Amino acid sequence: MLAIFHKAFANPPEELNSPASHKSSKKPKLPEETLNEFLSHHPQNTFSMSFGNAAVLAYVPRESPYLIHQRLFCGFDDIYCVFLGSLNNLFMLNKQYGLPKGSNEAMFVIEAYRTLRDRGPYPPDQVVKDLDGSFAFVIYDSKAGTVFAALGSDGGVKLYWGIAADGSVVISDDLEVIKEGCAKSFAPFPTGFIFHSEGGLMSFEHPMNKIRAMPRIDSEGVICGANFKVDVFTRVNSIPRVGSETNWTHWDSH
């Protein structure tokens, strides 16, 4: 999968952008170049959607039923989701959110997002923490212009992100596409974390702790983006925990 969001609609951590990207022989690419690179890797069955200059989503269905992780794409009510992996407790979650039994993981994630966006009875970290399985997903709310991404804590699904030549954020499970498109400005998406375009990056396992960026050094000794870890010694001042007035799309940045 591939998701690209203009810098005006997504605010990735500054530490992800390495100054070395523009000094090395291999320069980062523009979003359209990265999209073409991804499409060339899967010329037969790739599906992509563009939202003007704001966003691009591309998705490749599971090419073999024997692959461990499924790949799903769903769109509803101007909300679009690419989901990788599977949820062990999907039946229970569908029942909890009032969805039909046959709803897949992408459908559930959209419904959970809609519920939290519109009513917000629970903090987003708690909702994602309730997901049991190996998973990664990226949501784009085209009406609100917001981005939400998450990666499960078990490491079963890999996800990467980086910065394109124009400052757009690029998210993909294809490491080679990320390397080609972002040059030195990329890193693995941290496991057990969620990212929101307005709220920033946070750990859904340790939501009360701040996040520390650790520079990544490649084999050439050059800073290559950053790894993000939970700072176990520093806690955030507060985070909304309960109340129907809580709007999860505007949680405080930390």
Side-chain angles (χ1 to χ4, degrees):
M1 60 79 66
L2 174 69
I4 305 176
F5 304 103
H6 191 275
K7 61 182 178 181
F9 296 91
N11 301 289
E14 294 181 2
E15 296 88 348
L16 195 59
N17 195 355
S18 172
S21 277
H22 299 278
K23 298 177 182 178
S24 64
S25 57
K26 181 184 290 186
K27 307 292 184 184
K29 296 180 178 180
L30 292 170
E32 54 267 29
E33 295 176 301
T34 298
L35 174 61
N36 290 335
E37 176 86 11
F38 181 82
L39 297 177
S40 70
H41 284 202
H42 313 277
Q44 300 300 323
N45 58 349
T46 307
F47 169 79
S48 64
M49 290 185 68
S50 295
F51 303 85
N53 294 323
V56 173
L57 295 176
Y59 148 80
V60 182
R62 185 163 56 173
E63 297 166 341
S64 168
Y66 301 106
L67 291 177
I68 298 175
H69 300 302
Q70 62 181 341
R71 301 169 184 165
L72 302 170
F73 178 86
C74 184
F76 180 74
D77 195 24
D78 296 315
I79 303 168
Y80 301 87
C81 174
V82 181
F83 185 97
L84 308 176
S86 60
L87 298 177
N88 300 324
N89 58 340
L90 179 62
F91 178 82
M92 182 195 71
L93 293 169
N94 282 339
K95 186 177 181 180
Q96 178 181 340
Y97 282 80
L99 290 171
K101 293 180 180 179
S103 299
N104 63 30
E105 283 87 345
M107 296 174 185
F108 160 74
V109 168
I110 286 180
E111 183 59 29
Y113 172 87
R114 289 177 69 241
T115 301
L116 290 166
R117 181 196 63 182
D118 299 338
R119 298 200 294 271
Y122 305 109
D125 59 272
Q126 183 60 55
V127 173
V128 178
K129 193 174 182 178
D130 287 342
L131 307 186
D132 176 24
S134 297
F135 66 88
F137 64 79
V138 177
I139 289 175
Y140 178 58
D141 184 338
S142 62
K143 186 179 294 184
T146 53
V147 178
F148 182 71
L151 180 62
S153 58
D154 69 350
V157 176
K158 304 298 182 185
L159 202 63
Y160 307 90
W161 62 341
I163 306 298
D166 66 345
S168 296
V169 61
V170 184
I171 306 174
S172 180
D173 63 331
D174 190 327
L175 178 57
E176 293 307 313
V177 168
I178 288 284
K179 285 182 176 180
E180 289 295 321
C182 304
K184 299 291 186 181
S185 296
F186 78 95
F189 193 96
T191 56
F193 275 64
I194 52 181
F195 169 75
H196 188 273
S197 51
E198 295 182 6
L201 187 67
M202 69 181 295
S203 166
F204 62 77
E205 294 186 306
H206 305 281
M208 300 304 295
N209 291 84
K210 289 190 175 183
I211 307 304
R212 182 183 298 275
M214 310 294 291
R216 295 176 65 243
I217 309 297
D218 66 11
S219 59
E220 300 174 349
V222 176
I223 294 179
C224 183
N227 289 319
F228 297 91
K229 306 289 185 181
V230 173
D231 186 343
V232 296
F233 300 107
T234 309
R235 296 171 66 85
V236 297
N237 292 327
S238 64
I239 188 169
R241 307 308 301 178
V242 295
S244 58
E245 74 282 358
T246 301
N247 185 339
W248 82 307
T249 62
H250 294 92
W251 80 72
D252 291 338
S253 178
H254 51 284

